C-alpha cells in the first residue's frame, strides 16, 4: 500500500486508460508558496497535518504535481513540469507508461523528487531532463505482492541533491528487468546510481550502461539491508 502521505496532486488519475499530456507549456505547482501555507495552517490549527514531521519541522501532507495510480496506457510527451510542494511526477501500480522528452525542475521544497515509479510494469522513460532537490528518477516498491517490472530509462540528463537514479528506499516487493542506459549526471550530492533493498525486495536482471557522472558523491551505491517498517 502506498503510504507516502502524498495522495493529493494538482493532476490526479485513478483507474483510467489511454490518458496523456502532450505538447508545449508548463505545469507549475507553485510548491514553495503552497507548502508554506500548509505549514501555517497546521500551526494555527485550521488544517492540522496528521503526519506533520516534528523533527524536521515541516508538513508531510503536501500535494504532488501529478499522481497516476492504477492506470493503463499513459503517455506524457514534450511537456514541462516545475515546483511541486512534494514529488513531481508519481506513478503507482500502472501498466504501459511512456515518459518522453520532459523537462522537470522540482526544487521548491523538501522531498522534491523528479519522477517516482512505484510497482509499475512496462515503463519507458527517455530523453528527459530532471533537476530535483531530492532523487531524480526513483523506483519504489510499497506492495509485497507487486513489483516494478520491465522498466527502461535511457538518454536522460539528471541533476539531484540526492541520487540521480535510485531503487528504494521503499522496497517491499521488487525490481525486475530494469535497463538504464546513456544517462548524464552532474552536480549530484549522493549517488549517480543507487540500488537498495532494505524492506525485503527482490532485485533481478538489472542492466546499467553508459553512465557519465560529473561532480557526484559516488558512482554506484548498492545496499542490501533491513529496517523495521511499521505497517508492512
Amino acid at each position: 500500500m502506498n503510504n507516502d502521505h502524498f495522495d493529493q496532486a494538482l493532476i490526479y488519475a485513478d483507474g483510467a486508460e489511454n490518458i496523456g499530456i502532450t505538447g508545449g507549456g508548463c505545469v507549475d505547482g507553485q510548491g514553495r508558496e503552497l507548502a508554506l501555507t500548509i505549514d501555517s495552517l497546521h500551526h494555527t490549527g485550521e488544517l492540522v497535518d496528521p503526519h506533520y514531521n516534528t523533527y524536521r519541522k515541516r508538513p508531510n501532507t503536501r500535494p504532488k504535481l501529478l499522481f497516476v495510480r492504477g492506470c493503463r496506457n499513459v503517455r506524457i510527451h514534450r511537456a514541462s513540469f516545475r515546483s511541486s510542494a512534494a514529488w513531481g511526477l508519481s506513478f503507482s501500480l500502472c501498466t504501459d507508461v511512456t515518459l518522453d522528452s520532459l523537462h522537470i525542475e522540482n526544487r521548491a521544497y523538501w522531498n522534491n523528487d523528479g519522477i517516482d515509479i512505484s510497482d509499475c510494469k512496462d515503463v519507458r522513460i527517455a530523453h528527459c531532463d530532471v533537476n530535483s532537490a531530492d532523487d531524480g528518477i526513483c523506483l519504489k516498491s510499497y506492495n509485497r505482492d507487486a513489483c516494478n517490472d520491465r522498466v527502461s530509462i535511457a538518454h536522460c540528463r539528471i541533476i539531484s541533491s540526492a541520487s540521480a537514479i535510485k531503487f528504494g528506499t521503499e522496497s517491499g516487493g521488487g525490481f525486475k528487468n530494469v535497463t538504464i542506459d546513456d544517462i548524464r549526471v552532474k552536480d549530484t550530492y549522493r549517488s549517480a546510481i543507487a540500488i537498495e533493498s532494505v524492506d525485503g525486495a527482490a532485485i533481478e536482471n538489472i542492466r546499467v550502461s553508459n553512465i557519465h557522472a560529473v561532480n557526484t558523491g559516488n558512482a554506484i551505491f548498492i545496499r542490501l539491508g533491513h529496517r523495521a517498517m511499521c505497517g508492512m
Side-chain angles (χ1 to χ4, degrees):
M1 179 176 186
N2 191 320
N3 60 353
D4 58 39
H5 312 315
F6 303 153
D7 286 335
Q8 301 170 330
L10 177 61
I11 301 172
Y12 176 75
D14 191 348
E17 294 188 6
N18 306 318
I19 60 174
I21 298 174
T22 63
C26 179
V27 177
D28 188 339
Q30 302 180 51
R32 182 179 295 274
E33 295 87 344
L34 179 55
L36 292 177
T37 298
I38 293 171
D39 188 70
S40 296
L41 291 173
H42 172 81
H43 287 294
T44 61
E46 296 176 71
L47 186 63
V48 175
D49 178 1
H51 305 292
Y52 193 90
N53 191 322
T54 55
Y55 175 73
R56 292 185 170 88
K57 295 181 174 59
R58 68 191 189 212
N60 264 351
T61 304
R62 291 172 272 119
K64 305 171 183 177
L65 274 182
L66 180 145
F67 185 23
V68 179
R69 176 165 51 191
C71 295
R72 181 181 295 272
N73 190 20
V74 181
R75 300 288 184 270
I76 302 181
H77 179 63
R78 293 192 182 280
S80 295
F81 298 85
R82 68 186 308 269
S83 299
S84 174
W87 295 350
L89 280 62
S90 181
F91 304 83
S92 177
L93 297 168
C94 294
T95 302
D96 192 8
V97 176
T98 298
L99 311 179
D100 188 16
S101 302
L102 305 182
H103 180 82
I104 300 168
E105 184 174 348
N106 202 22
R107 288 187 167 273
Y109 201 69
W110 301 97
N111 306 115
N112 281 167
D113 286 7
I115 300 170
D116 289 273
I117 306 295
S118 304
D119 296 316
C120 296
K121 301 184 187 305
D122 299 314
V123 177
R124 295 163 297 280
I125 302 172
H127 306 107
C128 292
D129 289 346
V130 180
N131 185 344
S132 61
D134 209 320
D135 297 319
I137 299 174
C138 191
L139 306 184
K140 298 179 179 291
S141 181
Y142 289 95
N143 304 272
R144 293 204 180 278
D145 57 350
C147 66
N148 287 295
D149 192 3
R150 301 184 298 276
V151 177
S152 172
I153 304 170
H155 316 305
C156 294
R157 293 179 291 183
I158 304 172
I159 299 172
S160 167
S161 294
S163 295
I165 296 178
K166 181 181 177 182
F167 294 51
T169 302
E170 290 75 14
S171 46
F175 309 99
K176 301 179 181 180
N177 305 310
V178 179
T179 301
I180 301 169
D181 180 57
D182 187 24
I183 307 297
R184 300 278 171 164
V185 178
K186 71 173 184 178
D187 301 337
T188 290
Y189 180 73
R190 291 178 181 162
S191 307
I193 305 292
I195 301 174
E196 305 179 34
S197 177
V198 296
D199 303 320
I203 301 179
E204 302 176 6
N205 194 23
I206 311 300
R207 179 180 177 182
V208 180
S209 59
N210 299 317
I211 309 299
H212 184 271
V214 177
N215 192 25
T216 186
N218 59 74
I220 299 177
F221 177 76
I222 299 175
R223 179 187 178 195
L224 176 63
H226 172 76
R227 63 176 181 171
M229 292 195 65
C230 297
M232 294 194 68

